[in-house]
Amino acid sequence: MLSESDLKLVDALQASPRVPWSALGRTLGIGAATAARHWDGLVERGEAWLTAYPGGELRARLTLALVEIDCGPGEPLRVARELAADPHVPTVEYVAGHCDLLAHVVAPTLREVSDYVIHRLSRLPGVTATRTVISPRLFAEGSRWRVRAISPGQRRALTPAAATANGALRFTDLDRALLLALGEDARASAAALAQSLGVGASTVRRRLDALLGRGAIHLRCEIARPLSPAPVTATLWLRVPPDKLEATARTLGQLPEIRMCAAVSGAANLCAVVWLRSQHDTVELESGLAAQLPWLEIVDRAVTLRCVKLMGRLMDDAGRSAGRVPLDFWAGGGGRGRTGAAARGAARRGGGGGGVFPCPRPA
């Protein structure tokens, strides 16, 4: 696991990803330069990183599907790496369960998700079967998960006040460009973003404040799972009475182990992703859920054996960040015809917003 000081730094950036180093250092009792240097080291080693992605009302305009994938013998990791090059697949995991891979697919419309599964994913060599469920509502997602290394007082001091949203969100090409630029450097200043995008700094600052303030863009500080206090990931497929769905999801969202909780359109109507200290903790967690929510039925479960991609970040064999694929869910192509080397080549070239960017690593 990371050192206590590194865990505190990660926790502080989970509370406020763009907090100035001076304010962060003051809260943690270290110098601003020391905080920045330690963070740069974590990023360079692939041990922690920042991610930017659609949230709130912007996320509600997108379609999320969870796809279970069966593969031929010896094919799962090859197929997973193939999918990892796609901007429409933010997360893909090799799991121990009733399927080989579990992939998240995101696109603007249900039709585009359908096209992706039919024309891209299902046609990949090595894929033998797929099963898809749609998530009509996301109750909790990864930006709420905390390392829990700093005190509640320190977290309150770092957490910015919530902004009030006025009117409906108008998402423009500039907003999309800002989202992708923040995916490259979530702590970039408004001046640096303005220079890279070729617009005025005041315009960037105004749009950035609006998008981040109303939660249309989420920033998330991640930690490499093997170095985390909770290195084991499990996915639970749950069935609850429809009239108890929201209340159950709210209860689950308050549990510290819950990483994601989403309604799904299948035999199970709720999906929960949990981060645990060990695979043995799944028994205790399920027992606690049964006692607290007696109407809840656990339909199925899967334990992640290897995370190949997590919200746009490519993972190496040790579970550290080794590169990124921009989370451009509006990228063209919709999954038609790009397979094999063509998809990887398009990703590396940045075609359609799907470029793969290696992270700096020590020599």
Side-chain angles (χ1 to χ4, degrees):
M1 204 163 66
L2 294 181
S3 69
E4 188 65 22
S5 61
D6 285 339
L7 288 174
K8 287 182 177 180
L9 178 58
V10 169
D11 199 2
L13 287 171
Q14 287 179 333
S16 184
R18 288 178 59 84
V19 64
W21 290 123
S22 56
L24 186 148
R26 191 163 53 248
T27 302
L28 297 184
I30 59 177
T34 299
R37 185 173 65 252
H38 282 187
W39 174 250
D40 288 343
L42 290 172
V43 174
E44 288 173 3
R45 295 188 297 273
E47 296 172 348
W49 58 92
L50 290 166
T51 300
Y53 55 96
E57 56 202 305
L58 180 55
R59 181 184 63 220
R61 300 179 187 180
L62 297 167
T63 301
L64 166 65
L66 305 180
V67 186
E68 298 174 339
I69 305 167
D70 297 336
C71 301
E75 295 284 9
L77 284 179
R78 187 194 62 76
V79 172
R81 293 187 181 109
E82 189 88 10
L83 290 174
D86 289 1
H88 291 285
V89 181
T91 296
V92 58
E93 297 175 309
Y94 178 36
V95 301
H98 61 278
C99 62
D100 295 308
L101 302 176
L102 180 60
H104 297 196
V105 176
V106 180
T109 66
L110 191 62
R111 173 60 183 269
E112 287 169 284
V113 167
S114 171
D115 284 347
Y116 182 87
V117 174
I118 294 170
H119 299 292
R120 162 67 170 145
L121 198 159
S122 299
R123 293 181 179 181
L124 283 177
V127 172
T128 59
T130 64
R131 292 170 296 280
T132 305
V133 295
I134 299 298
S135 174
R137 184 168 175 187
L138 194 61
F139 294 101
E141 46 83 34
S143 65
R144 60 169 296 282
W145 186 86
R146 297 289 182 265
V147 171
R148 298 176 182 269
I150 62 176
S151 70
Q154 289 174 314
R155 184 170 292 109
R156 283 193 298 270
L158 290 166
T159 304
T164 302
N166 295 316
L169 173 68
R170 181 172 174 266
F171 189 65
T172 67
D173 288 341
L174 172 60
D175 297 334
R176 175 181 173 183
L178 269 175
L179 173 60
L180 296 177
L182 287 170
E184 183 176 356
D185 182 2
R187 291 185 57 83
S189 67
L193 290 168
Q195 183 175 7
S196 67
L197 299 178
V199 296
S202 60
T203 300
V204 166
R205 192 173 294 108
R206 184 174 63 253
R207 290 307 298 164
L208 197 58
D209 288 346
L211 292 166
L212 293 175
R214 65 194 294 157
I217 291 180
H218 279 176
L219 302 180
R220 182 159 106 193
C221 183
E222 294 280 17
I223 182 173
R225 293 190 194 183
L227 306 176
S228 164
V232 174
T233 301
T235 301
L236 303 178
W237 302 93
L238 313 170
R239 183 186 292 127
V240 301
D243 61 338
K244 293 183 181 294
L245 183 66
E246 291 207 26
T248 302
R250 284 197 299 270
T251 300
L252 292 174
Q254 294 171 2
L255 301 178
E257 299 89 352
I258 292 293
R259 174 78 176 182
M260 185 190 87
C261 183
V264 290
S265 60
N269 56 358
L270 203 58
C271 176
V273 176
V274 296
W275 280 22
L276 303 168
R277 290 169 299 172
S278 80
Q279 66 271 28
H280 308 296
D281 289 340
T282 57
V283 176
E284 182 180 352
L285 175 70
E286 291 185 12
S287 176
L289 291 179
Q292 187 175 4
L293 303 166
W295 57 83
L296 180 150
E297 177 187 355
I298 299 174
V299 176
D300 214 331
R301 77 260 308 143
V303 175
T304 299
L305 298 176
R306 183 173 299 184
C307 181
V308 178
K309 186 181 184 185
L310 176 63
M311 280 307 289
R313 284 282 170 163
L314 305 174
M315 301 291 110
D316 64 16
D317 291 343
R320 291 172 168 82
S321 173
R324 68 180 183 88
V325 178
L327 294 175
D328 190 359
F329 301 134
W330 303 269
R336 287 183 180 271
R338 281 189 174 179
T339 58
R344 290 192 298 272
R348 293 191 186 98
R349 292 191 300 273
V356 177
F357 296 84
C359 291
R361 298 299 296 274

